[in-house]
Amino acid sequence: MIELMPIARQFRLLKDEILREISDTIEQGSYILGPKVAKLENRISAMIGAGHAVAVANGTDALVLALDALGIGTGDEVITTPYSFFATAEAVSRLGAVPVFVDIDPFWSLDPERVEAAITPRTKAILPVHLFGQPADMDGLRSIADRRGLPVVEDACQAFGAKYGGQSVGTLGIAGCFSFFPSKNLGTMGDGGIVVTPDAELAKRLRKLRQHGSSKRYYHDAIGYNSRLDELHAAILLVMADHVEESVKRRRAIAQTYDERLRSLGSLLEVPGTEERRFHAYNLYCITSPRREEIREALTAENIQTGIYYPRPLHLQRAYASLGYAAGDFPVAEKLSAEILALPMGPLLTEQEQERVVTILQNIAEKG
Ligand SMILES: Cc1ncc(COP(=O)(O)O)c(C=O)c1O
């Protein structure tokens, strides 16, 4: 079996280092918001050049808390992409605000050209997603946001290690949200997340929100959340963080090989597009093909896993029926969901495994 994301390999490889950190956590005797969470927050701020980092329970909460800390709530509108994991829009809805979808650009992220027309007096933020590890068009989005006085919150959950114009994603807006879900570029063996921000006041509000709206024990200034990163996960993440740069490098090398080997299969499939300014961190490597099902079946028959991210765009999800969107509203996103296919990807995917995937795709193309 060639796994879509060989995740366990990463943890097994680092098992001794991880066990040492876990053992240290047991000895230190502090399990919630202890020294390892603080150390991880500092480490991540330093790694990506963020002013402040506030660790929370998961990436969804990172989005909810960031939007909440910005004062977004009932009746407000947040412009976002219909092509993402559900959590992006769910975070907006969870606060009583409304996700306003606009279609995606040729690089599969929120299209700045379409954002302006969606702005209304109720618009309170723009929420781009760095999908699959590819940065959104932050120049385009920021120029509209700046002109219209709107904050940009980045959903960087899939994009640790990605950069836009040389700057780490997550640090290009007022807040950047990351997930530490196991399959992410920087992941733990459970749930975790972090919000980064250049704004000290916002960081302070986030710290309060994650701890029941409290900065002094048993005194509560706001209705908050119980959303903290466990000390144990911080311990694991401190180990994983030491290796994340190398693993993103490896992901990029694997993507380059796929690009080089698959680009010539033009009539069968297209490789994902990128640009110089978008330093793609390849959490996923997705091709598109009108013959997706055939490709998928051929790979499955050879015991090779693939994935469809995502079979249904957000505006067509049942949970959003009340928003009144219909099929045909966002043709770029809808076509993508019909043709996209994720191929095996991960820092520990072997050359032989990748070669097998490529060979099968070449065989399909040759058969025509
Ligand atoms: C784009 C995107 N946003 C948000 C999330 C939510 O992160 P989590 O699963 O850690 O809550 C995810 C991940 O699963 C994601 O891929």
Side-chain angles (χ1 to χ4, degrees):
M1 160 78 77
I2 300 182
E3 293 174 286
L4 176 61
M5 293 186 252
I7 297 161
R9 285 181 197 172
Q10 290 173 249
F11 296 119
R12 288 185 191 130
L13 184 72
L14 299 169
K15 187 172 169 183
D16 290 345
E17 282 178 65
I18 291 169
L19 286 175
R20 260 199 306 277
E21 274 288 336
I22 290 176
S23 164
D24 193 52
T25 311
I26 294 170
E27 293 307 322
Q28 91 185 5
S30 167
Y31 308 120
I32 298 283
L33 296 183
K36 292 197 192 292
V37 167
K39 193 171 167 188
L40 182 74
E41 289 175 339
N42 290 335
R43 171 85 58 87
I44 286 184
S45 299
M47 279 171 83
I48 68 172
H52 309 270
V54 181
V56 295
N58 53 65
T60 309
D61 278 7
L63 290 163
V64 173
L65 268 70
L67 295 168
D68 193 342
L70 287 167
I72 288 161
T74 309
D76 293 337
E77 292 177 355
V78 175
I79 296 176
T80 192
T81 165
Y83 208 88
S84 181
F85 178 57
F86 188 68
T88 307
E90 186 181 38
V92 174
S93 303
R94 191 37 64 216
L95 291 165
V98 181
V100 172
F101 300 118
V102 304
D103 213 345
I104 49 175
D105 69 9
F107 302 94
W108 307 345
S109 46
L110 187 59
D111 187 347
E113 308 236 323
R114 301 176 211 253
V115 166
E116 187 117 40
I119 297 175
T120 75
R122 288 189 298 280
T123 306
K124 291 290 154 32
I126 299 175
L127 176 56
V129 177
H130 305 304
L131 193 75
F132 310 146
Q134 162 123 286
D137 179 356
M138 293 305 290
D139 282 341
L141 293 168
R142 281 195 305 189
S143 91
I144 296 164
D146 290 350
R147 197 152 20 85
R148 304 296 291 258
L150 292 168
V152 175
V153 175
E154 300 172 70
D155 182 339
C157 283
Q158 301 179 351
F160 198 94
K163 296 188 182 96
Y164 180 87
Q167 202 177 327
S168 291
V169 298
T171 68
L172 297 140
I174 188 67
C177 305
F178 292 93
S179 165
F180 298 135
F181 189 80
S183 61
K184 303 304 191 213
N185 288 0
L186 177 58
T188 182
M189 289 182 278
D191 280 308
I194 203 162
V195 186
V196 299
T197 176
D199 184 325
E201 278 307 307
L202 191 67
K204 217 163 130 188
R205 281 204 292 286
L206 287 162
R207 287 186 194 287
K208 216 183 256 194
L209 280 179
R210 75 173 167 185
Q211 178 82 318
H212 305 287
S214 166
S215 46
K216 183 175 167 200
R217 206 166 203 187
Y218 304 127
Y219 292 84
H220 304 267
D221 304 331
I223 305 297
Y225 304 78
N226 175 355
S227 185
R228 302 161 303 214
L229 179 72
D230 294 338
E231 195 72 358
L232 265 177
H233 287 302
I236 296 163
L237 287 159
L238 282 167
V239 175
M240 304 312 284
D242 284 341
H243 302 273
V244 68
E245 202 181 315
E246 187 55 37
S247 69
V248 169
K249 215 185 208 173
R250 184 73 197 117
R251 285 175 184 278
R252 285 174 54 83
I254 290 167
Q256 196 183 337
T257 302
Y258 272 138
D259 281 350
E260 286 165 7
R261 304 285 304 279
L262 302 180
R263 196 172 274 130
S264 58
L265 313 184
S267 61
L268 177 67
L269 59 85
E270 277 188 47
V271 299
T274 188
E275 292 180 307
E276 183 83 24
R277 64 188 168 144
R278 308 192 199 219
F279 183 92
H280 198 324
Y282 292 100
N283 183 243
L284 288 173
Y285 185 90
C286 295
I287 56 164
T288 53
S289 171
R291 291 165 62 189
R292 174 182 70 191
E293 298 313 320
E294 183 191 341
I295 294 175
R296 186 162 212 221
E297 275 166 28
L299 289 167
T300 306
E302 294 289 333
N303 246 341
I304 296 169
Q305 288 184 339
T306 54
I308 296 178
Y309 301 85
Y310 297 94
R312 179 176 292 179
L314 301 182
H315 65 292
L316 300 178
Q317 292 290 342
R318 198 178 301 155
Y320 282 129
S322 64
L323 295 182
Y325 291 103
D329 282 349
F330 304 119
V332 187
E334 289 166 34
K335 182 165 188 282
L336 185 59
S337 77
E339 297 192 345
I340 199 158
L341 188 68
L343 301 181
M345 166 55 84
L348 298 177
L349 187 77
T350 67
E351 276 176 31
Q352 293 86 328
E353 286 173 323
Q354 189 176 20
E355 187 59 40
R356 265 191 66 203
V357 177
V358 168
T359 306
I360 292 162
L361 293 171
Q362 283 169 337
N363 289 344
I364 303 170
E366 269 166 31
K367 276 192 226 139

